[in-house]
Amino acid sequence: MSTDPDRAEPLHIVVLGDVHGRLHLAWSLVKRIEAHYRIKVAHVLQVGDLGFWPRPAEVLDRATRRHAAKDPEEISFPEWSQPDRRWGGTRLSPRAEALLAPAAPRGTRVDADLIFIKGNHDDWERLPGLTSGGLPSPVDHYERHRFLPNGGTMRLGDGEGILVGALGGLEHGDPARDGFSNAEAEALAGRRLDLLLTHEPPPRTPPGSRLRRVVESTSPRFVLSGHLHWHERDLWGEVEFVTLSDVRLNERGEVNAGCAGILTWRGVGVPSFEVLGDDFAGAFPGRSILVYPGDDALAATR
């Protein structure tokens, strides 16, 4: 990518709502977006509740355990992160390999990494904290799922790039139950952010909340959130708030409208954010959104 802002190619970033372990759908969605819109996705951002449960047989919250009894995808993270002896001890499951493995065919492979933040339905004990080794931190075999801790920042793109900050979890007003600490919120205060990733949408918090104060002090162009399981947008001055729905298949078997969006960031001008609606969902009837080994998701672009 050119470092000249007047000649830079646009940066395409997919943003996903709550995934709750549906990683096959999430990664398939990214690949279908690339093919449908004929773009190259540089990064994938996810706003918490990824379904980060690396040891589901030992640690789950009650809500996830209840949902997993009906939908095993809720606890599929090990399949997408840990080699299994069923596949030789060095490989993930075939469907995960098709989308994530460096040697996977171009027709199914996603090259962008997925960067996620803390939700209220993730294994907090196993999430890495702020380190001096650079962010975001990989949490899986192929280093395709990367965690951006609360209070952490990272840059996307060339040169100065896009500055992204994270403040996940929920704000209850009780330090013992809150998903982030005062220190984590203060680590972002005063930084001039381009994007702020939160799990809880700040407009849904009370006036004077720490989330709102962080937004006021960092003045991001976009605040991207989830948690509510529906899509809505709001504008406070020059700050745009986008809440995404959850990544799932609806009652028709189609991908849930409003669960993802494409952020297009150019060297000059105002960045745009397009939320995927019914037209995109309708292009993939039933479960055809899902990518399996042997598929050619790029066929539509040829």
Side-chain angles (χ1 to χ4, degrees):
M1 183 184 296
S2 169
T3 56
D4 181 350
D6 294 321
R7 303 181 65 181
E9 293 294 324
L11 194 67
H12 298 294
I13 301 169
V14 168
V15 187
L16 301 175
D18 296 18
V19 171
H20 292 290
R22 303 181 190 100
L23 289 162
H24 187 201
L25 176 57
W27 285 105
S28 296
L29 181 56
V30 176
K31 193 62 184 179
R32 298 298 188 194
I33 287 172
E34 285 194 322
H36 187 75
Y37 292 101
R38 304 188 181 214
I39 60 174
K40 184 66 176 175
V41 174
H43 305 282
V44 181
L45 303 178
Q46 197 276 325
V47 295
D49 281 3
L50 176 72
F52 176 76
W53 298 107
R55 43 180 182 161
E58 304 171 29
V59 179
L60 284 178
D61 64 19
R62 278 190 293 180
T64 302
R65 189 178 302 278
R66 184 176 69 253
H67 289 296
K70 299 178 180 178
D71 181 7
E73 292 289 287
E74 292 263 347
I75 51 174
S76 74
F77 186 78
E79 177 189 351
W80 292 84
S81 61
Q82 303 168 16
D84 192 288
R85 62 186 179 185
R86 290 176 295 175
W87 319 117
T90 59
R91 295 166 58 86
L92 308 180
S93 73
R95 63 179 187 171
E97 286 283 317
L99 284 152
L100 302 185
R106 176 175 173 267
T108 59
R109 186 183 69 246
V110 177
D111 292 318
D113 294 340
L114 186 154
I115 300 155
F116 70 103
I117 65 168
K118 180 181 183 180
N120 60 306
H121 294 299
D122 292 305
D123 186 351
W124 292 4
E125 292 183 4
R126 289 294 179 96
L127 288 172
L130 288 170
T131 68
S132 59
L135 296 175
S137 302
V139 296
D140 65 308
H141 176 65
Y142 284 128
E143 300 189 352
R144 306 302 309 284
H145 303 85
R146 294 174 174 266
F147 177 64
L148 185 60
N150 285 344
T153 61
M154 62 175 292
R155 289 195 182 273
L156 305 178
D158 292 339
E160 288 299 311
I162 302 165
L163 186 60
V164 183
L167 199 58
L170 303 182
E171 182 172 359
H172 298 287
D174 175 2
R177 297 170 57 227
D178 279 358
F180 59 88
S181 66
N182 286 332
E184 289 170 339
E186 290 167 2
L188 294 176
R191 302 290 301 270
R192 180 67 180 183
L193 299 177
D194 297 302
L195 300 178
L196 175 61
L197 304 180
T198 71
H199 184 57
E200 184 174 20
R204 293 282 178 165
T205 63
S209 70
R210 286 177 296 161
L211 269 176
R212 290 189 182 217
R213 294 202 301 269
V214 167
V215 172
E216 291 167 358
S217 70
T218 58
S219 300
R221 179 63 186 85
F222 287 99
V223 179
L224 306 169
S225 311
H227 182 58
L228 300 181
H229 295 185
W230 67 75
H231 164 57
E232 60 186 24
R233 297 179 86 142
D234 200 356
L235 188 65
W236 294 356
E238 296 184 352
V239 180
E240 185 167 359
F241 296 85
V242 181
T243 302
L244 294 166
S245 186
D246 54 326
V247 177
R248 60 178 171 84
L249 298 177
N250 62 25
E251 60 279 1
R252 297 186 301 275
E254 298 171 350
V255 67
N256 189 28
C259 73
I262 305 170
L263 179 65
T264 302
W265 204 283
R266 302 178 186 276
V268 294
V270 178
S272 63
F273 191 86
E274 177 185 355
V275 175
L276 302 185
D278 292 328
D279 54 341
F280 177 82
F284 301 97
R287 301 172 66 88
S288 63
I289 191 79
L290 296 172
V291 174
Y292 288 94
D295 286 355
D296 188 352
L298 292 180
T301 69
R302 295 174 182 164

